[in-house]
Amino acid sequence: MDNNPVDQSAFGLSRRSLMKGGIALTGLSALSSVAGVTSAFGQSVPTLIVASPQTPQSLDSEFDISLGTVDAYGVLYENLIEFAKIPDPKVPGVMREDTGSYPDKPGGVNAVGKLAESWEMDPGARWAKFKLREGVISNWGNELTAEDVVWSWRRKFELGGVGLFYLATLGLTKPEQIKAEDKYIVSFSPENPNPMLVRIMANLFAHVFDSTKCKEVGGEEDPWAKEFLRNETASFAPYVVERLERGQQAVFKAREDYYGGKPFFDRVIYREVPTSAARVSLLRGGAVDIAQFLQPLEVIQLKNVPNVEVNTIDATSMLWIELNAVVAPFDNKLVRQAMNFAFPQEEIIKTVFQDLGAPLIGAMPWFYPSFTDQYWQYGQNLEKARELLKEAGFESGFSTTLSYNAGDPVHEQIAILYQSALRQIGINLELKKYPAGTFYNAVSERKEPMIFYQDNPWTPDPGYAMSLYFDSKSFVNYSNYNNKEVDELLYKIARSADESERVKMSQRVQEIVMEEAPWVFVAYPNYHWAHKTGVKGLTYYTSNNIRYQDLSRS
């Protein structure tokens, strides 16, 4: 998600690592600015200060999936359910979502209730019903009812933004398929069986609005409250917006009457600090509690700073290079395979990522259900790359272009190493730098022969994750990859209630994708939580955002 509000790549999708370009807020100006906000609230109020690349651009999830906005959704909105939390096996004191498969549970997921206190799903995956908690009150004093859930999903039909992805994923083709069975029971009945009916309700973009307030402020002129929801919230979540100054800061205030209990931090100050160096400086100096989206070397340096902790966590993020399958010579599978055999993946993990990540050896996050690495065949082998180029008719090599994000230093470092490796097999690689503010426009236009992309599928389901990138009709299929068998299998995966069959089909998709190599597979970058000593309670979510209601201070 970039500097501009809508990047459909994430359609619920996902979350890319965005670094906004612009003038750095550094030194005393940054420190005094943040400190001034803090002192304005006094010292008696528990306040969390976060340094991030970007503030929220809009608070309407139908139209905005930019970096700061996605972080805001996690505290300003609430879902029907969430995945159960389990201790991270590698990082003491950190929790993570349980993304495993549980055939004996409704929807096959280990979930706990949020706005819903219970739920059930048809064994054939034809419907799911959710019983809401009674007495839950919104930030505007209105009680949660099934009509709020119905209205929230019908809004997706009417506005035709991000919500269209979710409707298509669930096979919901008309509003009547979402019904208020009574005041506190809502049902979903898609046109075809859909095994994701429960699982997707934990997705960050499946939250519930206070429809009473939205109708009140929108009236006849704006029945879906688009103008109101750009700057305000109407929800049942733990925080509300106290102040939103785009390009500077957002301030979120804890609700005293939140049904789950008031969060520890009364206020969260979300400060825009465009450069990672400035964010590091603020954390080192004690002016902020959390510094987000740092570079690998910065993370390593912070590990030795007094009063600072850095937790490095296995994440859903995947970084790859799109190989445009409709642009020669990447319309040739053998050339795409050669590009992977030429890629110095091991060297890049060690030198660029400083071993703070792992080789990308699959088509989805490695800890998602049905993942397999048995079809991984690459790793740098220049002789094999030469053989494949010769077989494809490019024995003398060719020239092409690799585009990268000027706002992400990792891209340039990788590109230079890759350029050197390709030169050894006769490929002349020209590097093309895009400003951070326009880079993702270049990605979505799908015209560049090679371009970096980083994303993370937010729902731990193989059908969801792989449909995003490999279904020929998906907007996020930026490599223009098209395989009829893959399309057919992904269609069936999304409509089968037989988990064993879903696994077989998912693994077949992975086999085809790894063979046809629509990407240059780069890395699984880790998630880094850099924070003051004493701030605790992190849960790692597949959406790669922090829910500040989880945190406290010792």
Side-chain angles (χ1 to χ4, degrees), residues 20 134 165 212 217 230 295 307 319 342 371 417 434 456:
K20 182 181 177 182
E134 299 182 23
F165 176 86
T212 301
V217 297
R230 286 186 66 251
Q295 298 301 312
N307 301 317
L319 175 64
F371 170 85
L417 290 171
Y434 273 97
N456 10 24

Side-chain angles (χ1 to χ4, degrees), residues 141-455:
N142 300 311
E143 186 187 9
L144 170 72
T145 71
E147 289 296 339
D148 292 311
V149 183
V150 171
W151 188 90
S152 299
W153 281 85
R154 289 190 176 181
R155 189 174 191 266
K156 299 181 191 300
F157 279 102
E158 294 295 330
L159 297 185
V162 173
L164 290 181
F165 176 86
Y166 293 95
L167 295 171
T169 298
L170 289 179
L172 296 168
T173 58
K174 49 185 180 289
E176 293 74 25
Q177 292 169 321
I178 305 127
K179 295 180 181 178
E181 303 288 347
D182 69 14
K183 186 176 181 180
Y184 300 110
I185 297 178
V186 63
S187 65
F188 294 78
S189 304
E191 186 172 341
N192 297 294
N194 193 296
M196 290 180 274
L197 277 173
V198 171
R199 187 181 297 268
I200 207 168
M201 295 303 165
N203 188 289
L204 192 62
F205 277 70
H207 53 242
V208 180
F209 295 99
D210 172 1
S211 62
T212 301
K213 179 64 178 179
C214 291
K215 292 174 185 177
E216 173 191 320
V217 297
E220 293 184 2
E221 293 184 1
D222 188 11
W224 302 102
K226 290 191 295 182
E227 288 304 311
F228 177 77
L229 292 174
R230 286 186 66 251
N231 304 300
E232 260 290 3
T233 56
S235 75
F236 307 90
Y239 282 90
V240 296
V241 180
E242 185 169 85
R243 186 184 309 167
L244 177 55
E245 300 168 290
R246 290 175 178 85
Q248 297 183 46
Q249 67 181 14
V251 181
F252 308 129
K253 188 178 188 305
R255 288 180 54 196
E256 299 277 354
D257 59 347
Y258 174 55
Y259 76 93
K262 181 185 174 185
F264 176 87
F265 289 104
D266 188 81
R267 283 181 175 85
V268 176
I269 301 173
Y270 194 85
R271 186 73 183 172
E272 180 165 321
V273 184
T275 69
S276 61
R279 296 192 294 275
V280 168
S281 178
L282 291 172
L283 181 60
R284 291 176 68 110
V288 302
D289 296 292
I290 297 172
Q292 294 188 310
F293 304 103
L294 307 180
Q295 298 301 312
L297 282 173
E298 294 169 335
V299 169
I300 290 173
Q301 292 166 2
L302 281 174
K303 289 181 182 290
N304 297 316
V305 174
N307 301 317
V308 170
E309 294 182 25
V310 182
N311 299 117
T312 296
I313 302 164
D314 289 335
T316 56
S317 289
M318 301 183 292
L319 175 64
W320 65 88
I321 298 170
E322 306 279 8
L323 296 175
N324 198 328
V326 298
V327 174
F330 303 122
D331 54 350
N332 188 317
K333 177 183 72 173
L334 298 177
V335 173
R336 299 195 300 267
Q337 290 176 343
M339 298 300 287
N340 274 280
F341 279 114
F343 186 70
Q345 188 183 60
E346 183 177 344
E347 179 185 5
I348 283 166
I349 296 297
K350 289 185 178 298
T351 61
V352 177
F353 288 98
Q354 300 292 306
D355 285 323
L356 298 178
L360 178 60
I361 56 174
M364 61 178 165
W366 61 267
F367 49 84
Y368 275 16
S370 301
F371 170 85
T372 179
D373 61 1
Q374 65 177 306
Y375 303 114
W376 173 253
Q377 58 177 304
Y378 304 110
Q380 191 175 40
N381 184 334
L382 295 180
E383 187 57 39
K384 178 67 173 177
R386 291 188 189 96
E387 292 174 4
L388 288 165
L389 289 178
K390 181 178 180 180
E391 186 178 351
F394 293 94
E395 185 174 5
S396 299
F398 56 87
S399 295
T400 189
T401 302
L402 171 58
S403 300
Y404 69 94
N405 184 354
D408 191 339
V410 163
H411 285 195
E412 186 170 59
Q413 295 170 43
I414 294 172
I416 291 171
L417 290 171
Y418 195 21
Q419 182 185 50
S420 176
L422 289 173
R423 192 177 296 121
Q424 298 179 59
I425 59 172
I427 295 177
N428 177 40
L429 185 66
E430 177 187 351
L431 304 185
K432 184 176 181 180
K433 181 189 300 187
Y434 273 97
T438 61
F439 174 74
Y440 288 101
N441 293 333
V443 173
S444 61
E445 288 173 356
R446 310 189 198 195
K447 295 179 180 178
E448 299 294 338
M450 299 174 67
I451 192 165
F452 279 93
Y453 194 63
Q454 182 167 331
D455 209 10

Side-chain angles (χ1 to χ4, degrees), residues 86-120:
I86 57 175
D88 189 291
K90 298 180 181 178
V91 187
V94 171
M95 305 294 286
R96 63 187 301 121
E97 292 177 307
D98 185 351
T99 58
S101 180
Y102 294 84
D104 58 323
K105 296 181 181 291
V109 297
N110 184 20
V112 297
K114 295 295 283 182
L115 296 181
E117 65 179 16
S118 62
W119 52 95
E120 58 180 323

Side-chain angles (χ1 to χ4, degrees), residues 47-110:
T47 301
L48 186 77
I49 306 175
V50 182
S52 189
Q54 186 181 29
T55 50
Q57 302 303 294
S58 167
L59 299 178
D60 190 342
S61 57
E62 195 61 30
F63 300 110
D64 195 305
I65 49 180
S66 57
L67 181 66
T69 303
V70 169
D71 269 349
Y73 293 153
V75 299
L76 298 177
Y77 287 101
E78 194 88 321
N79 288 50
L80 293 175
I81 64 170
E82 68 177 6
F83 294 108
K85 299 174 182 179
I86 57 175
D88 189 291
K90 298 180 181 178
V91 187
V94 171
M95 305 294 286
R96 63 187 301 121
E97 292 177 307
D98 185 351
T99 58
S101 180
Y102 294 84
D104 58 323
K105 296 181 181 291
V109 297
N110 184 20

